[in-house]
Amino acid sequence: MSIEGLIFHRLQRWDEAQPSALQPASAAATPTADHQALFTQLKKVFQFKAGKQFGQFQTDAAEYPFASWLKEYQAGRIDLYRLSCLFCEHFKSLVDATSEPFEASLLTLLEDRVDGARLYIFAIESQSGLRLDAQLTLDTVDYLNQNSLDFALRIELPEWQSALSGDTNSPYLCLLCARSPVGVAEAFSKACAFQSNVDTQKETEVLMDILARYTQQAEPKAAGLVRKKAYDFCVEQQKLGEAVPLQELSGYLDENEPTRFAQFAEQAAQLPASHSLRPDTRKLKHLVRFS
């Protein structure tokens, strides 16, 4: 995991009667160990945050231009800095159309991975704290709150390219939007050109129902162990930012009969072994509590 490029901008709006103020960076930052530490923490918070949505880009380029700009970037006609500026300017115009205050540092970051690059956009809030300076004078300082995250986008670039060529219809976007303020959440989602194509709540219910029926005839202790293993597997997949493949889950639940659960899922819910689910692990905790 390494940072290929990153850019910070800041967007502030305190008075609903006034437009927001965008403070753009003069250039992309040179990645340092501090940037890596910040990214590692933001990525961790993002992966464990509940309520994420999965989907693809909107197809209306006139109303949702971000995907077009990303194509320009992938083609080498604009750089990452220009891409980040276009996104922030568009997000600013959408925030100005709301009546809500907003303040955040907007981080655009390209992550290089063995499995393919990922592009992230984080909206990081600031907090104020007290410090003693070199003269032992008490002073107020603003700092990035890296433990809280309300708005973020992750783009799986190889999956997006495959979708463009028609090779797959899998979701390549993962969006995190806080419920409040609603107007800003809608503005961020629209700026990202996001369109949901995965019902996380439904997929969570499907997986819980299959597991409940799968363990119905087992002894209570054995049933509880299976549910706990299923929950642990889903949590590990969430840490990786990946879906839960039924075939891999089946092998994890029973090494002696690695296809047993997958076959049961196919019979009980007509889900092929190659199918993957994206459950909400927060709700899957009920499996462990129940056991």
Side-chain angles (χ1 to χ4, degrees), residues 160-236:
W160 175 56
Q161 292 293 331
S162 296
L164 287 176
S165 60
D167 294 337
T168 179
N169 195 38
S170 300
Y172 47 80
L173 299 181
C174 181
L175 178 76
L176 173 63
C177 264
R179 294 183 180 180
S180 180
V182 176
V184 174
E186 292 178 350
F188 187 80
S189 177
K190 188 171 183 178
C192 296
F194 177 82
Q195 179 176 247
S196 176
N197 69 345
V198 176
D199 189 338
T200 305
Q201 180 177 347
K202 182 178 179 181
E203 297 205 349
T204 305
E205 293 171 353
V206 167
L207 181 57
M208 291 182 69
D209 179 66
I210 294 172
L211 284 166
R213 294 161 67 181
Y214 180 71
T215 58
Q216 189 173 13
Q217 303 301 323
E219 293 293 328
K221 186 175 181 179
L225 179 60
V226 170
R227 295 191 185 102
K228 177 66 166 57
K229 290 183 71 174
Y231 173 74
D232 291 342
F233 182 84
C234 293
V235 169
E236 288 303 312

Side-chain angles (χ1 to χ4, degrees), residues 19-224:
S20 59
L22 177 62
Q23 180 185 353
S26 58
T30 301
T32 65
D34 288 337
H35 290 121
Q36 186 64 60
L38 173 64
F39 174 51
T40 299
Q41 179 60 21
L42 290 174
K43 188 176 177 181
K44 179 180 178 182
V45 174
F46 176 78
Q47 289 173 343
F48 279 94
K49 193 84 170 183
K52 294 191 292 292
Q53 302 176 63
F54 300 89
Q56 298 182 340
F57 284 128
Q58 297 273 3
T59 56
D60 186 347
E63 188 172 359
Y64 304 94
F66 181 67
S68 298
W69 298 332
L70 190 59
K71 289 179 183 177
E72 294 286 301
Y73 166 70
Q74 289 288 83
R77 288 188 282 270
I78 62 175
D79 59 12
L80 188 64
Y81 173 77
R82 179 56 181 160
L83 176 66
S84 71
C85 289
L86 288 169
F87 172 84
C88 291
E89 289 164 2
H90 184 47
F91 181 41
K92 176 190 182 314
S93 68
L94 296 172
V95 169
D96 290 345
T98 73
S99 59
E100 299 165 356
F102 181 75
E103 189 276 331
S105 297
L106 300 172
L107 169 60
T108 303
L109 185 148
L110 180 65
E111 178 191 18
D112 184 30
R113 302 166 61 247
V114 175
D115 296 336
R118 283 174 172 170
L119 183 69
Y120 286 89
I121 298 175
F122 297 105
I124 315 168
E125 295 182 353
S126 297
Q127 283 189 328
S128 295
L130 297 174
R131 73 178 183 97
L132 285 173
D133 61 18
Q135 287 71 42
L136 299 182
T137 301
L138 196 62
D139 190 17
T140 301
V141 61
D142 290 335
Y143 62 93
L144 296 176
N145 184 4
Q146 56 186 323
N147 295 315
S148 177
L149 195 62
D150 287 334
F151 302 102
L153 176 73
R154 183 185 69 211
I155 307 171
E156 306 282 357
L157 294 177
E159 282 80 352
W160 175 56
Q161 292 293 331
S162 296
L164 287 176
S165 60
D167 294 337
T168 179
N169 195 38
S170 300
Y172 47 80
L173 299 181
C174 181
L175 178 76
L176 173 63
C177 264
R179 294 183 180 180
S180 180
V182 176
V184 174
E186 292 178 350
F188 187 80
S189 177
K190 188 171 183 178
C192 296
F194 177 82
Q195 179 176 247
S196 176
N197 69 345
V198 176
D199 189 338
T200 305
Q201 180 177 347
K202 182 178 179 181
E203 297 205 349
T204 305
E205 293 171 353
V206 167
L207 181 57
M208 291 182 69
D209 179 66
I210 294 172
L211 284 166
R213 294 161 67 181
Y214 180 71
T215 58
Q216 189 173 13
Q217 303 301 323
E219 293 293 328
K221 186 175 181 179

